[in-house]
Amino acid sequence: MTALKDKIRNFSIVAHIDHGKSTLADRLIQSTGAVSEREMQDQLLDNMDIERERGITIKAQTVRLSYKGYTLNLIDTPGHVDFGYEVSRSLAACEGALLVVDAAQGVEAQTIANVYKAIDANLHIETVLNKIDLPAAEPERVAKQVEEVIGLDTSNALRISAKTGIGITDVLDAIVERLPPPEDNDIKPLRALLVDSWYDAYLGVVMLVRIKDGVLRKGEPIQMMSNGATYKADQIGIFAPKMTQVESLSSGEVGYLIAGVKQLADCKIGDTITAKDAPAAEPLPGFKPSIPVVFSSMFPVDASDYPALKEAIAKLALNDASFTYEIESSAALGFGFRCGFLGLLHMEIIQERIWREFDLDIINTAPSVAYKLGLRDGTNITIMNPADWPDPSKIETMEEPLVRATIMTPDEYLGKILQLCTERRGVQEQLTYVGTRAMVVYKLPLNEIVFDFYDRLKSISSGYASFDYELIEYQESELAKVSILVNEENVEALSFIAHKSDVEKRGRQICEKLKDLIPRQMFKIPIQAAIGAKVIARETISAFRKDVTAKCYGGDATRKRKLLEKQKKGKKRARMFGKVEIPQEAFIKALKVGED
């Protein structure tokens, strides 16, 4: 039965990683009796092992709770910057949000990023100070910090411990009393926001939807407004938290829709679903297709694993529409795939899932970003793979993506962090203080942070600094493609694109590493880093030396000279015709050059 609109509350939980978002969701589910004690487990809404182990949410989930006659729809959102677009769509499905801040750690970079998304979406925000049971908790100081940094009124901030259950009833009462209900738009033409989607082996594509206008009924023909595709609403239901079928969902309600969609790519997150027979005139605002920003190639360590890798990547793409891939081949590494990701965490998760769920060992090429080039013939192209970089004489303009990075750090590490950002061609935009913590905002090139920026930041701040970034624009830049040549043969898998100020250092790093990794031969092996025909770094692997004159004792010196001359010619010929096999371990270690 459809709930009365003023008895519905749709809300999300916004928090930095490890501030207790999933634990609070567990307590709310437990307190409202949505699951029995026997079925209850930690991180109930996190389905994947990797989510549980890392304490992060990767896919949005929803659950319907009942409390004092009210229907509460909790939409659990990912917290990491890589999934920022999914967060914005989840927030668009709500009227309110709980801002959870760790009372011991205070405001962090991702807290700010996600709460501003909620403010932009005009959500009513309630502040929740979590972990007040910890000895290091300072709720008064943290409440003041929230007021100073974010500008929210914290006079009625809730003080809880999600782990021990302190204050959970107060949170439920605040949701019911303070968060606004959805508007009653049942008589309008159907408009449903597609919040998220995933692939189920038995049901096909399952779509998580929030009904904004009208009523979605079982058996009705529906239409996707972005591409005009039509389907039939075969099954409609809610998560309570198990999938429970219903006959219809009206405006203000959140549930799932199964409509016989075969491919995840056909239902894009943020799309508007309307009725085929009486379509809405305008789609819901804010829709944009998912765009990958980081690219890397994946190759199997054992070439015979290629079919298994192909199947693994296809299965992962079924469950993650933002993960893109295409077949690629390399002379050195064989057949593989060029993959696109939303960011570095997204890339790391896909790699780990391939290793964990499909038991495959893979080689990943160094991550790169998308560059925009203007050619002399007037055409504009986007380059995602160094192998596609055109001849420098054909290029008129080069642009690279920029990000706005927000870093929060204790004061004592600020100097080193500013130095790191300056080294990475960063431009400082803002520096403010909140107590003993500094918040610094930098404009940085994306290709400077995809390598090892996060690891370096954590290292120099002893793990205390938090980091968040958003893609803002492209700017003109001096870029160059560096080719790595081994025995004068180009090894395309090791080539990379970098800023001209950085190419020499990066090229030298790879050459030095390869010198230690490639086995010696009977002839000298030159390893070179080159931009076009210009060599910018070189190392030489010396040849094995066999003493051919050892058997000569006494006699004429010309005999020794003759043997040495013969050996010299042989080595020259060997160098001309000899093939240098680069071992797989050398590729793996050389491609990790930026991680040292």
Side-chain angles (χ1 to χ4, degrees):
M1 194 179 83
T2 303
L4 293 167
K5 300 294 176 281
D6 60 350
K7 294 282 186 183
I8 296 176
R9 298 289 182 272
N10 296 319
F11 70 99
S12 182
I13 302 174
V14 171
H16 184 77
I17 289 169
D18 206 31
H19 277 208
K21 181 159 68 77
S22 295
T23 312
L24 176 57
D26 288 347
R27 290 296 85 76
L28 295 175
I29 292 166
Q30 200 173 13
S31 302
T32 54
V35 294
S36 65
E37 287 296 325
R38 184 173 60 81
E39 293 173 304
M40 192 63 206
Q41 59 175 338
D42 286 344
Q43 287 175 258
L44 188 75
L45 295 181
D46 292 339
N47 297 330
M48 287 185 260
D49 290 341
I50 191 169
E51 288 183 308
R52 294 173 179 283
E53 285 172 26
R54 288 181 173 225
I56 56 174
T57 301
I58 295 165
K59 293 294 281 179
Q61 303 287 343
T62 184
V63 61
R64 181 181 282 206
L65 311 172
S66 294
Y67 180 71
K68 293 185 177 177
Y70 286 81
T71 298
L72 314 180
N73 289 311
L74 162 59
I75 299 168
D76 190 25
T77 60
H80 198 274
V81 59
D82 285 6
F83 310 106
Y85 179 57
E86 288 183 40
V87 174
S88 74
R89 295 303 85 205
S90 298
L91 293 173
C94 304
E95 281 77 39
L98 300 178
L99 169 63
V100 176
V101 184
D102 187 323
Q105 293 182 340
V107 175
E108 301 279 2
Q110 277 167 295
T111 317
I112 297 166
N114 286 340
V115 80
Y116 282 156
K117 283 194 181 84
I119 291 167
D120 290 345
N122 294 319
L123 265 58
H124 179 93
I125 299 164
E126 284 296 321
T127 307
V128 178
L129 305 177
N130 190 20
K131 305 189 185 182
I132 59 162
D133 57 318
L134 294 180
E138 297 178 74
E140 296 296 337
R141 180 184 65 81
V142 173
K144 194 171 176 227
Q145 204 178 37
V146 171
E147 285 191 352
E148 287 176 1
V149 178
I150 301 167
L152 294 175
D153 178 19
T154 56
S155 54
N156 292 325
L158 301 158
R159 299 177 186 201
I160 69 160
S161 167
K163 191 172 184 180
T164 60
I166 298 167
I168 297 300
T169 308
D170 295 339
V171 175
L172 288 164
D173 288 337
I175 291 166
V176 166
E177 291 161 16
R178 300 184 202 168
L179 297 190
E183 291 178 18
D184 188 347
N185 293 330
D186 285 2
I187 58 169
K188 291 185 179 179
L190 173 66
R191 288 199 302 175
L193 174 69
L194 204 162
V195 180
D196 199 5
S197 58
W198 58 92
Y199 189 83
D200 184 285
Y202 301 102
L203 301 169
V205 175
V206 180
M207 292 173 271
L208 176 60
V209 293
R210 154 72 202 265
I211 314 299
K212 288 280 188 178
D213 301 330
V215 181
L216 176 65
R217 294 181 179 86
K218 187 177 176 180
E220 270 190 352
I222 56 164
Q223 184 173 7
M224 303 288 180
M225 291 190 82
S226 69
N227 56 16
T230 56
Y231 302 97
K232 183 184 164 195
D234 295 328
Q235 194 183 122
I236 294 168
I238 58 167
F239 292 95
K242 288 182 178 169
M243 291 172 88
T244 309
Q245 289 193 47
V246 295
E247 285 302 307
S248 66
L249 290 170
S250 65
S251 63
E253 292 192 292
V254 178
Y256 70 85
L257 164 66
I258 296 166
V261 182
K262 297 289 186 287
Q263 292 184 346
L264 211 58
D266 295 340
C267 46
K268 300 175 177 72
I269 291 172
D271 201 353
T272 303
I273 298 168
T274 189
K276 183 175 179 286
D277 301 334
E282 293 273 318
L284 294 163
F287 170 68
K288 58 178 184 183
S290 176
I291 301 166
V293 295
V294 175
F295 301 87
S296 174
S297 296
M298 291 186 185
F299 298 92
V301 168
D302 185 345
S304 62
D305 284 338
Y306 174 74
L309 178 62
K310 188 176 181 180
E311 190 183 337
I313 283 178
K315 281 183 179 174
L316 287 177
L318 274 179
N319 271 309
D320 188 347
S322 52
F323 168 53
T324 61
Y325 69 96
E326 58 185 44
I327 294 169
E328 183 183 42
S329 66
S330 156
L333 299 170
F335 281 100
F337 299 90
R338 186 73 181 167
C339 305
F341 310 93
L342 295 175
L344 288 176
L345 178 79
H346 190 211
M347 183 175 92
E348 209 179 307
I349 285 162
I350 295 288
Q351 287 171 12
E352 194 161 334
R353 288 185 69 185
I354 288 172
W355 171 72
R356 199 184 272 235
E357 295 173 26
F358 303 97
D359 197 24
L360 290 170
D361 288 326
I362 55 171
I363 298 171
N364 258 79
T365 62
S368 67
V369 301
Y371 300 96
K372 291 181 178 177
L373 303 183
L375 304 183
R376 293 192 190 277
D377 62 4
T379 56
N380 294 308
I381 56 171
T382 302
I383 298 291
M384 290 165 276
N385 190 342
D388 301 331
W389 194 261
D391 188 288
S393 63
K394 295 179 180 176
I395 301 170
E396 183 80 43
T397 59
M398 296 177 272
E399 292 183 356
E400 65 177 342
L402 287 185
V403 297
R404 180 169 287 117
T406 305
I407 300 166
M408 294 205 68
T409 175
D411 192 27
E412 61 262 36
Y413 305 113
L414 182 63
K416 287 182 180 176
I417 287 169
L418 295 180
Q419 190 182 338
L420 173 67
C421 292
T422 307
E423 279 173 15
R424 298 302 173 94
R425 300 188 285 125
V427 177
Q428 188 177 316
E429 288 193 334
Q430 195 182 325
L431 174 58
T432 50
Y433 277 88
V434 185
T436 58
R437 290 172 70 80
M439 183 175 91
V440 60
V441 179
Y442 260 89
K443 206 186 260 188
L444 283 157
L446 180 60
N447 72 346
E448 294 287 352
I449 65 170
V450 295
F451 247 127
D452 62 338
F453 184 85
Y454 190 64
D455 292 341
R456 286 281 308 279
L457 180 72
K458 285 292 180 189
S459 174
I460 62 180
S461 68
S462 305
Y464 284 107
S466 62
F467 169 64
D468 187 87
Y469 68 90
E470 59 171 338
L471 201 63
I472 48 170
E473 62 186 358
Y474 274 77
Q475 88 167 6
E476 214 163 299
S477 186
E478 287 287 311
L479 304 165
K481 176 196 171 180
V482 179
S483 303
I484 303 296
L485 294 92
V486 176
N487 199 25
E488 293 174 6
E489 275 192 32
N490 186 10
V491 184
E492 197 59 71
L494 294 174
S495 62
F496 60 91
I497 297 162
H499 190 262
K500 282 193 174 169
S501 64
D502 201 33
V503 288
E504 205 172 304
K505 180 182 150 202
R506 290 261 302 272
R508 198 179 298 117
Q509 275 183 324
I510 290 189
C511 289
E512 284 170 3
K513 210 150 201 186
L514 286 173
K515 184 186 176 184
D516 297 333
L517 295 167
I518 295 174
R520 287 168 70 189
Q521 307 285 336
M522 293 305 293
F523 52 90
K524 276 185 187 176
I525 305 170
I527 301 167
Q528 298 162 309
I531 300 172
K534 183 188 173 188
V535 175
I536 56 168
R538 174 183 169 127
E539 294 286 338
T540 305
I541 300 172
S542 55
F544 280 127
R545 188 168 187 277
K546 183 181 176 186
D547 191 358
V548 290
T549 62
K551 60 189 176 185
C552 302
Y553 52 93
D556 192 356
T558 54
R559 188 172 168 219
K560 288 185 181 180
R561 202 176 302 121
K562 196 175 170 184
L563 281 167
L564 288 168
E565 285 295 324
K566 191 178 176 185
Q567 184 189 41
K568 199 172 172 184
K569 283 180 187 171
K571 284 194 173 185
K572 191 176 178 184
R573 191 166 58 248
R575 192 173 156 225
M576 283 167 65
F577 300 108
K579 294 288 283 179
V580 179
E581 289 291 328
I582 304 175
Q584 297 283 21
E585 310 86 70
F587 268 106
I588 296 166
K589 287 175 182 167
L591 290 168
K592 287 184 177 175
V593 71
E595 295 174 17
D596 283 358

